[in-house]
Structure formats: C-alpha cells, structure tokens
Amino acid sequence: MKSVLAPARSAWLVVLLTLAAAMLLPASPASAAIPGLQRLVTTSPSNSTGNPKAASATCPAGKNVIGLGGYVTGGNGQVVLTELLPDAMSAKVRAVAYEDASGYDGDWSVTAVAVCADPPPGLQRVSTQSPGDSDAKEWTVTCPNGKKILGLGGRLNGFEGRILLDALQPFGGVSGQLHASEDAAGLGGNWSVTAVAMCADPLPGLVTPANWSAGDSSAPKSVDAVCPTGAVAISAGGLIASGVGEYGRNKVMIDRLDVPAALDRGTAGATEAEAGAPFSWHVVAVPQCAKS
C-alpha cells in the first residue's frame, strides 16, 4: 500500500525512527539467530558495450535469500541502478542498470549481492507495485502481522535510465519504503515502482542502524553504518537527504547498496547525475542487522 506520510516528511522520519529503535532495542536472546548465513556476489562484464547490464547472485541449494544489495561500478553518474530484486522463489538476487538518455562511452559493470541463509521460520516474499503515472513515487511494502522485514528490494518500471532511485530503506521493522523520481529533464509518460520485502518471524536482535555522510555538493559519496557488537548485517538500505523532507531533487541517485564481505556493516553510495547538483546533500546508510 502507499505510504500515508507526505514525501516532505518521510525520509527524515524514517531515519529518526531507526535511530530511536537502535537506542531502545531490548537485550536479545542468547541463541544463534541465522544458521547458514552466506554472502554471494556476481558481477557483470565491465566494458563499454551492452546496455542494460544485469547480474544474478544465486543462493546454494537449500538456502534462500533473506537480504540483498547491489551496485554500479564506473558509470560516472551516467549509469542508473534500476533493479535490485529477489526472484519469486527467493533463490537469487538480480541487479540491473541502464545508461542514461545520453549514453556512456566508458567501461562499467553492475553487481548483485545475495545474503543467503537456511530458511528462517516464517520466511515470506511480499511484493507490491505502485500505480503507473508521471509523479515521483513513494511506495511502501509491509510484512504480514507478526512478521518483521529482513531485506528489501525494488525495481523501477519504465523509462529505464531516466528514473532515479532516491531511497530503499526499512521502516519501523515491519515495512520498507522505495522512493524514486524522474531525471531533471522530466518525462511525458507513466511509470511505476515495485517494492519487495523479505519477511519472517522476528529474529533476535533485529535493528536498523543509521549513519550519514558529510553534507556538501561533492560526488560521489559513500557511507557505512556499522552493526552493533554481536550482530551481523543481513541486508543493505539507504537514502539521499538534501534538506528537510527532500531526496535527490531529480539530480542525485543511489548507485550502491552493499553488505561487505565481513557482514559487519551496510554501505550506501550515491552520485550526481550527468548535469550535476547545485545543492548540498547526504547519503544515509540504513542496513538491517540481526544477532549473529
């Protein structure tokens, strides 16, 4: 369902709620929470040919996707991350990126990151798609009653390379939010977004730390949010903040959401589109962490 929060407030409210959740989280049960945890990574060829590029990271037999990430390498602000999505069987993660409207002559690649594990109790993939129109999209996917969100993915549908990802972030432990907007040139047609949550019965120590990059007009930016002691990162998340209630203002886009190999943090990266951005902005990392 669509978020009832106005776009001018929700990005900042999400960060405040995640920080509050981190401070108020009770002590976790002393038990192993995520048996079989494993990070799988696949990268497309890095070259100047092929548009779009795609990569899929597949879990070993008997394991399922519980979290995910993906990123563009190269691109210089002219390659747009359009899909980070677990498949319908929750067996793999697919990442897709497109060059922007003017194209890009340099080498670039796209990487898919799957965080896999033995299926936790109650594991369920929940998907929802926004209406198709020409407005900026703020769309929320919510786990069923009694379940918590472990990982979050999304896809931008239509006008590939012209729609910019502003936010892909867990919200309040039970839902996730995707925000996207048209590039600065604007579009004359309809487009939509798809948000997908990996939900399960609550894991011990589930928490969403948040950390902000410096705020200025330089690009690219990257920032890590470290999991609490005794916890591991199970999915990436992030958003762009450029003023109270503002995202990327059609000029800044997320191009990296990663859970590094140590599984101790989440990384979020963003860059300015080809025309640049004449304002200060931050990128915020908001991974999901759980007791190891």
Coordinates of all heavy atoms in Angstrom, one line a residue, residues 202-242:
P202 N 10.1 -12.8 13.8 CA 11.2 -11.9 14.3 C 12.5 -12.6 14.6 O 12.5 -13.7 15.3 CB 10.6 -11.3 15.6 CG 9.1 -11.3 15.3 CD 8.9 -12.6 14.6
L203 N 13.6 -12.1 14.2 CA 14.9 -12.6 14.5 C 15.4 -11.9 15.8 O 15.1 -10.7 16.0 CB 15.9 -12.3 13.4 CG 15.7 -13.1 12.1 CD1 16.7 -12.7 11.0 CD2 15.7 -14.6 12.3
P204 N 16.2 -12.6 16.6 CA 16.8 -11.9 17.8 C 17.7 -10.8 17.4 O 18.5 -10.9 16.4 CB 17.6 -13.0 18.4 CG 17.0 -14.3 18.0 CD 16.5 -14.0 16.6
G205 N 17.5 -9.7 18.1 CA 18.4 -8.5 17.9 C 18.3 -7.8 16.6 O 19.2 -7.1 16.2
L206 N 17.1 -7.9 15.9 CA 16.9 -7.2 14.7 C 16.9 -5.7 14.9 O 16.1 -5.2 15.7 CB 15.6 -7.6 14.0 CG 15.4 -7.2 12.6 CD1 16.4 -7.8 11.6 CD2 14.0 -7.6 12.1
V207 N 17.7 -4.9 14.2 CA 17.9 -3.5 14.4 C 18.4 -2.8 13.1 O 19.0 -3.5 12.2 CB 18.9 -3.2 15.5 CG1 20.3 -3.7 15.2 CG2 18.9 -1.7 15.9
T208 N 18.1 -1.6 12.9 CA 18.5 -0.8 11.7 C 19.3 0.4 12.1 O 18.8 1.5 12.5 CB 17.2 -0.3 11.0 OG1 16.3 -1.4 10.8 CG2 17.6 0.3 9.6
P209 N 20.6 0.3 12.2 CA 21.5 1.4 12.5 C 21.4 2.4 11.3 O 21.1 2.0 10.2 CB 22.9 0.8 12.6 CG 22.8 -0.4 11.8 CD 21.4 -0.9 11.9
A210 N 21.8 3.6 11.6 CA 21.8 4.7 10.5 C 23.1 5.5 10.7 O 23.5 5.8 11.8 CB 20.6 5.6 10.6
N211 N 23.7 5.9 9.5 CA 24.8 6.8 9.5 C 24.8 7.7 8.3 O 24.5 7.2 7.2 CB 26.1 6.0 9.6 CG 27.3 6.8 9.9 OD1 27.2 7.8 10.7 ND2 28.5 6.5 9.4
W212 N 25.2 8.9 8.5 CA 25.1 9.9 7.4 C 26.5 10.3 6.9 O 27.4 10.4 7.7 CB 24.5 11.2 8.0 CG 23.1 11.1 8.4 CD1 22.6 10.3 9.4 CD2 22.0 11.9 8.0 NE1 21.2 10.5 9.5 CE2 20.8 11.5 8.7 CE3 21.8 12.9 7.1 CZ2 19.6 12.0 8.5 CZ3 20.6 13.5 6.9 CH2 19.5 13.0 7.6
S213 N 26.6 10.5 5.6 CA 27.8 11.1 5.0 C 27.9 12.5 5.3 O 27.0 13.1 5.9 CB 27.8 10.9 3.5 OG 26.9 11.8 2.9
A214 N 29.0 13.1 5.0 CA 29.1 14.6 5.0 C 28.1 15.2 4.1 O 27.7 14.6 3.1 CB 30.5 15.0 4.6
G215 N 27.6 16.4 4.4 CA 26.7 17.1 3.6 C 27.3 18.2 2.8 O 27.7 19.3 3.4
D216 N 27.5 18.1 1.5 CA 28.0 19.1 0.6 C 27.6 18.7 -0.8 O 26.8 17.9 -1.0 CB 29.5 19.2 0.8 CG 30.3 17.9 0.6 OD1 29.9 17.1 -0.3 OD2 31.3 17.6 1.3
S217 N 28.2 19.4 -1.8 CA 27.8 19.2 -3.2 C 28.8 18.4 -4.0 O 28.8 18.4 -5.2 CB 27.5 20.6 -3.9 OG 28.7 21.3 -3.8
S218 N 29.7 17.7 -3.2 CA 30.6 16.8 -3.9 C 30.0 15.5 -4.2 O 29.1 15.0 -3.6 CB 31.9 16.7 -3.1 OG 31.6 16.0 -1.9
A219 N 30.6 14.8 -5.3 CA 30.1 13.5 -5.7 C 31.3 12.7 -6.2 O 32.2 13.3 -6.8 CB 29.0 13.6 -6.7
P220 N 31.2 11.4 -6.1 CA 30.2 10.6 -5.4 C 30.5 10.6 -3.9 O 31.5 11.1 -3.4 CB 30.5 9.2 -5.9 CG 32.0 9.1 -6.2 CD 32.3 10.5 -6.7
K221 N 29.5 10.0 -3.1 CA 29.6 9.9 -1.7 C 29.3 8.4 -1.3 O 28.5 7.8 -2.0 CB 28.6 10.8 -0.9 CG 28.9 12.3 -1.0 CD 28.0 13.1 -0.1 CE 28.3 14.5 -0.1 NZ 27.8 15.2 -1.3
S222 N 29.9 8.0 -0.2 CA 29.6 6.7 0.3 C 29.8 6.7 1.8 O 30.6 7.5 2.4 CB 30.6 5.7 -0.2 OG 30.4 4.4 0.2
V223 N 29.0 5.9 2.5 CA 29.0 5.9 4.0 C 28.6 4.5 4.5 O 27.9 3.8 3.8 CB 28.0 7.0 4.6 CG1 26.6 6.6 4.3 CG2 28.3 7.2 6.1
D224 N 29.2 4.1 5.6 CA 28.9 2.8 6.3 C 28.1 3.0 7.5 O 28.4 4.0 8.3 CB 30.2 2.1 6.6 CG 31.1 1.7 5.4 OD1 30.5 1.6 4.3 OD2 32.3 1.4 5.6
A225 N 27.2 2.1 7.8 CA 26.6 2.1 9.1 C 26.9 0.7 9.7 O 26.6 -0.3 9.1 CB 25.0 2.2 9.0
V226 N 27.6 0.7 10.9 CA 28.1 -0.5 11.5 C 27.1 -1.1 12.4 O 26.4 -0.4 13.2 CB 29.4 -0.2 12.3 CG1 30.0 -1.4 13.0 CG2 30.5 0.4 11.4
C227 N 27.0 -2.5 12.3 CA 26.0 -3.2 13.2 C 26.5 -3.2 14.6 O 27.7 -3.1 14.9 CB 25.9 -4.6 12.7 SG 25.2 -4.8 11.1
P228 N 25.6 -3.3 15.6 CA 26.1 -3.4 17.0 C 26.9 -4.6 17.2 O 26.9 -5.6 16.5 CB 24.7 -3.5 17.7 CG 23.7 -3.0 16.8 CD 24.2 -3.3 15.4
T229 N 27.7 -4.6 18.3 CA 28.5 -5.7 18.6 C 27.7 -7.0 18.8 O 26.6 -6.9 19.4 CB 29.3 -5.4 20.0 OG1 30.1 -4.3 19.8 CG2 30.2 -6.6 20.4
G230 N 28.2 -8.1 18.2 CA 27.4 -9.3 18.3 C 26.3 -9.5 17.2 O 25.6 -10.5 17.3
A231 N 26.2 -8.5 16.3 CA 25.2 -8.6 15.2 C 25.9 -8.6 13.9 O 27.1 -8.3 13.7 CB 24.3 -7.4 15.3
V232 N 25.2 -9.1 12.9 CA 25.7 -9.2 11.5 C 24.7 -8.4 10.6 O 23.5 -8.3 10.9 CB 25.8 -10.6 11.0 CG1 27.0 -11.3 11.7 CG2 24.5 -11.4 11.2
A233 N 25.2 -7.9 9.5 CA 24.4 -7.2 8.5 C 23.8 -8.3 7.6 O 24.4 -9.2 7.1 CB 25.2 -6.3 7.7
I234 N 22.4 -8.2 7.4 CA 21.7 -9.1 6.6 C 21.1 -8.5 5.3 O 20.7 -9.2 4.4 CB 20.7 -9.9 7.4 CG1 19.6 -8.9 8.0 CG2 21.3 -10.7 8.5 CD1 18.4 -9.6 8.6
S235 N 21.1 -7.2 5.3 CA 20.6 -6.5 4.0 C 21.0 -5.1 4.0 O 21.2 -4.5 5.1 CB 19.1 -6.6 3.9 OG 18.6 -6.3 2.6
A236 N 21.2 -4.6 2.8 CA 21.6 -3.2 2.6 C 20.3 -2.3 2.6 O 19.2 -2.7 2.2 CB 22.4 -3.0 1.4
G237 N 20.5 -1.0 2.8 CA 19.5 0.0 2.7 C 20.1 1.4 2.7 O 21.2 1.6 3.2
G238 N 19.4 2.4 2.1 CA 20.0 3.7 2.1 C 19.0 4.7 1.5 O 18.0 4.3 0.9
L239 N 19.3 6.0 1.6 CA 18.5 7.1 1.1 C 19.4 8.3 0.9 O 20.5 8.4 1.4 CB 17.3 7.4 2.0 CG 17.7 8.1 3.3 CD1 16.5 9.0 3.7 CD2 17.8 7.0 4.4
I240 N 18.9 9.2 0.1 CA 19.5 10.5 -0.1 C 18.7 11.5 0.6 O 17.5 11.5 0.6 CB 19.5 10.9 -1.6 CG1 20.4 9.8 -2.4 CG2 20.1 12.3 -1.9 CD1 20.1 9.8 -3.9
A241 N 19.4 12.5 1.3 CA 18.7 13.6 2.0 C 19.4 14.9 1.6 O 20.6 15.0 1.7 CB 18.8 13.3 3.5
S242 N 18.6 15.8 1.2 CA 19.1 17.1 0.7 C 18.4 18.3 1.2 O 18.2 19.3 0.6 CB 19.1 17.1 -0.9 OG 17.7 17.0 -1.3

